[in-house]
């Protein structure tokens, strides 16, 4: 075989000579992986088992020069590219059948500057890589709640985790971003360098270039923190008490509560197996002593099924939920913002939970507010952030034959919650990006046109389009 075909930007195929690919591969410090290579199957695998994509080429970059060369190679041939960080995107956007994947998963270096209280993170890092380094200095970046998630996709579309109410979303903590733009140029964006681009990168997605590194502000926390994990029966009264607590909770309290089904697992009392539950997980972003006091009321909302709350290392809190999200399970997640948690909303949430076809599925309640809600539209396109709650509806299931049922359940939940919804949508929980144009407009609201302007300046041909896409022609 002397040629191969790859998907191009016009929706067709481009023929590329193998000799050209070999010359390109020769310059790389990383590797070029093709379907005949032994590492192909592992390299193409996405976290969401719903996707089994077979790209034509995976360029595993290890240096910025590799990224620049990859962008130029694809650009010169009009190839459709996908960008891969942690491969956790629920819609499977990190790959494409017959496509050209620019894979940053080998670029995971993390350098802490304890004096400046900043950290520089290569764009293929996972959240756990950052926590491991920053916690050596008793410092943190607010990120997400599962340690194997990629920092790149998470940050570019926001990033909510235990510390969001104290220090904002992940994107709010950016100091600078280094990226390779559509014309193959490397540049830095910050408040003083390319400030419009920097604004767009604080929540505007992977639309503007291949990010090679992020610089974040750090905050003091840990190594020990207080973590609450308490599971109750799915009672309306307990949710009412939880709702009341959430109205006066201090900003240090970062809660992620969820409904689900008690697993048939020896960690839980046998009499409760398969029963619906309401669990509260929370991390206190302050001293463990204060946290013990401040989180105690959450442990006394009723009689718990189990209470695993304890002081633990911050790095442990960041891994607490990891086992619930194995690679290769099937996932379909969507989000709805809520105006308030009324009795009607609570009843609806509990009823929808009981209809979940899979016992791995949950309906998550993220309490918002605090520092993240004070960010203005001058600072981030992901604004205003007025809604006090975000609901994440997570269908998680094992048998591919159950896919239709589980996807339908998530859509039913979105419809069921519609009467209580506040404007907006969170693009890190995007379903499969059905109705993508409308979703993106809904997510950015009044900031959408400014994002289009920045997109036109940095990527007028929409070279970066396999993402939560802002169409430059919009
Ligand atoms: C188990 C799990 C837990 C999660 N928990 C949270 C959570 O607590 N909080 C939260 O906010 N979200 C959470 N998410 C959602 C998560 O933020 C998104 O799935 C995000 O896309 C993951 O980023 P990634 O780098 O792994 O994505 P990938 O799948 O690697 O990439 C997805 C997209 O991100 C963009 N992208 C990636 N790398 C780059 C780059 N270097 N330059 C430019 N664009 C790039 C591209 O558009 C790409 O298509 C979770 C997801 C999973 C699967």
């Amino acid at each position: 075989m002397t040629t191969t075909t790859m998907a191009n930007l016009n929706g067709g195929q481009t023929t590329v000579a193998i000799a050209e690919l070999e010359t390109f591969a020769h310059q790389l410090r990383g590797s070029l992986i093709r379907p005949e290579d032994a590492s192909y199957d592992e390299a193409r695998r996405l976290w969401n088992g719903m996707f089994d994509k077979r790209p034509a080429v995976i360029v595993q970059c290890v240096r910025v020069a590799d990224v620049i060369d990859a962008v130029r190679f694809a650009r010169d041939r009009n190839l459709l590219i996908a960008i891969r960080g942690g491969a956790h995107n629920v819609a499977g956007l990190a790959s494409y059948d017959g496509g050209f994947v620019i894979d940053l998963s080998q670029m995971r270096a993390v350098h802490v500057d304890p004096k400046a209280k900043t950290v520089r993170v290569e764009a293929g890092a996972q959240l756990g890589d950052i926590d491991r380094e920053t916690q050596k200095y008793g410092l943190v970046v607010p990120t997400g709640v599962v340690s194997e998630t990629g920092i790149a996709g998470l940050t570019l579309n926001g990033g909510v985790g235990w510390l969001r109410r104290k220090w904002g979303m992940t994107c709010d903590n950016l100091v600078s971003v280094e990226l390779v733009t559509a014309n193959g140029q490397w540049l830095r964006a910050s408040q003083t360098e390319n400030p419009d681009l920097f604004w767009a990168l604080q929540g505007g997605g992977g639309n503007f270039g291949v990010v090679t590194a992020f610089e974040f502000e750090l905050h003091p926390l840990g190594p020990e923190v207080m973590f609450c994990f308490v599971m109750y029966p799915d009672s309306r009264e307990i949710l009412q008490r939880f709702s009341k607590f959430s109205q006066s909770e201090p900003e240090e309290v970062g809660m992620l509560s969820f409904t689900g089904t008690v697993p048939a697992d020896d960690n839980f009392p046998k009499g409760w197996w398969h029963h619906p539950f309401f669990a509260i997980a929370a991390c206190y972003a302050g001293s463990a002593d204060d946290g013990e006091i401040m989180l105690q009321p959450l442990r006394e909302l009723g009689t718990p099924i189990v209470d695993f709350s304890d002081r633990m290392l911050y790095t442990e809190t960041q891994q607490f939920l990891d086992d619930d999200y194995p690679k290769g399970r099937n996932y379909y997640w969507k989000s709805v913002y809520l105006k308030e948690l009324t009795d009607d909303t609570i009843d609806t949430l509990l009823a929808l939970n009981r209809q979940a076809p899979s016992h791995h599925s949950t309906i998550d309640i993220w309490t918002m507010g605090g520092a993240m809600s004070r960010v203005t539209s001058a600072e981030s396109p992901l604004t205003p952030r007025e809604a006090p709650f975000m609901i994440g509806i997570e269908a998680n299931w094992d048998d591919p034959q159950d896919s239709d049922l589980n996807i339908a359940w998530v859509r039913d939940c979105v419809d069921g919650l519609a009467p209580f919804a506040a404007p907006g949508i969170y693009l890190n929980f995007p379903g499969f990006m059905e109705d993508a144009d409308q979703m993106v407009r809904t997510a950015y609201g009044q900031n959408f046109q400014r994002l289009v302007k920045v997109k036109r300046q940095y990527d007028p041909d929409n070279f970066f389009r396999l993402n939560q896409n802002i169409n430059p022609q919009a």
Side-chain angles (χ1 to χ4, degrees), residues 27-90:
Q27 321 161 29
L28 295 172
R29 291 296 178 271
S31 348
L32 187 142
I33 301 171
R34 303 195 52 233
E36 55 271 31
D37 295 323
S39 53
Y40 177 75
D41 277 333
E42 186 50 35
R44 73 184 177 88
R45 201 166 160 223
L46 300 181
W47 169 83
N48 190 348
M50 287 294 287
F51 300 104
D52 184 27
K53 300 189 183 182
R54 302 187 67 85
V57 163
I58 301 168
V59 186
Q60 275 190 345
C61 304
V62 296
R63 301 271 191 278
V64 171
D66 288 352
V67 179
I68 292 174
D69 283 346
V71 166
R72 290 182 180 169
F73 184 91
R75 184 76 217 224
D76 290 349
R77 290 158 186 81
N78 202 34
L79 301 178
L80 177 63
I81 62 150
I83 310 172
R84 181 188 175 109
H88 265 53
N89 183 276
V90 188

Side-chain angles (χ1 to χ4, degrees), residues 104-336:
L104 280 89
S105 63
Q106 309 302 306
M107 293 177 65
R108 291 170 63 166
V110 177
H111 292 291
V112 178
D113 182 341
K115 230 170 158 191
K117 290 211 169 52
T118 56
V119 60
R120 184 176 177 281
V121 178
E122 283 190 332
Q126 298 178 358
L127 309 189
D129 298 327
I130 304 170
D131 295 332
R132 177 169 157 71
E133 295 298 322
T134 57
Q135 275 294 280
K136 294 286 182 241
Y137 306 88
L139 297 168
V140 286
V141 184
T143 58
V145 300
V146 173
S147 72
E148 288 180 10
T149 310
I151 190 65
L154 176 123
T155 306
L156 290 167
N157 287 290
V160 288
W162 304 120
L163 311 178
R164 64 194 178 279
R165 287 170 42 81
K166 177 73 177 163
W167 291 302
M169 297 174 90
T170 311
C171 66
D172 304 334
N173 289 271
L174 280 169
V175 176
S176 68
V177 180
E178 297 166 26
L179 73 166
V180 177
T181 54
N183 57 8
Q185 300 292 319
W186 178 92
L187 56 79
R188 191 197 317 269
S190 68
Q191 273 176 13
T192 52
E193 298 159 280
N194 306 298
D196 256 14
L197 177 60
F198 184 59
W199 173 84
L201 288 163
Q202 290 175 84
N207 276 288
F208 309 98
V210 186
V211 174
T212 52
F214 299 96
E215 186 188 4
F216 294 102
E217 184 183 355
L218 289 166
H219 308 277
L221 186 69
E224 193 185 53
V225 292
M226 181 63 198
F227 189 72
C228 164
F229 185 93
V230 57
M231 185 184 273
Y232 295 105
D234 70 332
S235 112
R236 181 196 220 204
E237 291 70 33
I238 288 173
L239 264 113
Q240 285 169 329
R241 288 174 208 144
F242 157 80
S243 172
K244 200 162 169 220
F245 177 89
S246 72
Q247 285 158 24
S248 57
E249 62 181 338
E251 295 191 357
E252 282 77 10
V253 177
M255 285 196 282
L256 168 56
S257 312
F258 46 99
T259 60
T261 310
V262 181
D265 175 318
D266 287 339
N267 288 313
F268 302 92
K270 208 165 182 172
W272 284 104
W273 287 3
H274 310 300
H275 283 259
F277 71 75
F278 172 65
I280 303 173
C283 179
Y284 189 79
S287 79
D289 285 347
D290 290 349
E292 273 201 45
I293 297 163
M294 301 310 292
L295 299 183
Q296 187 61 27
L298 290 172
R299 306 170 65 186
E300 295 171 354
L301 300 181
T303 308
I305 299 171
V306 288
D307 182 353
F308 298 141
S309 308
D310 208 346
R311 288 168 175 249
M312 59 181 82
L313 297 177
Y314 174 72
T315 47
E316 290 172 331
T317 69
Q318 286 287 92
Q319 294 164 20
F320 195 88
L321 300 175
D322 282 10
D323 289 348
D324 294 334
Y325 298 99
K327 189 172 182 178
R329 183 169 277 169
N330 302 298
Y331 299 94
Y332 181 77
W333 299 356
K334 275 183 173 276
S335 72
V336 174

Side-chain angles (χ1 to χ4, degrees), residues 321-388:
L321 300 175
D322 282 10
D323 289 348
D324 294 334
Y325 298 99
K327 189 172 182 178
R329 183 169 277 169
N330 302 298
Y331 299 94
Y332 181 77
W333 299 356
K334 275 183 173 276
S335 72
V336 174
Y337 287 107
L338 287 187
K339 290 184 254 195
E340 52 185 334
L341 212 49
T342 60
D343 288 353
D344 281 352
T345 326
I346 290 172
D347 291 343
T348 306
L349 284 170
L350 294 178
L352 290 168
N353 176 54
R354 284 171 174 249
Q355 292 160 17
S358 164
H359 63 275
H360 296 304
S361 298
T362 59
I363 303 181
D364 307 343
I365 308 175
W366 299 77
T367 42
M368 311 305 260
M372 63 167 288
S373 65
R374 289 193 288 274
V375 172
T376 66
S377 56
E379 296 164 297
S380 163
L382 280 181
T383 47
R385 304 181 190 163
E386 288 159 356

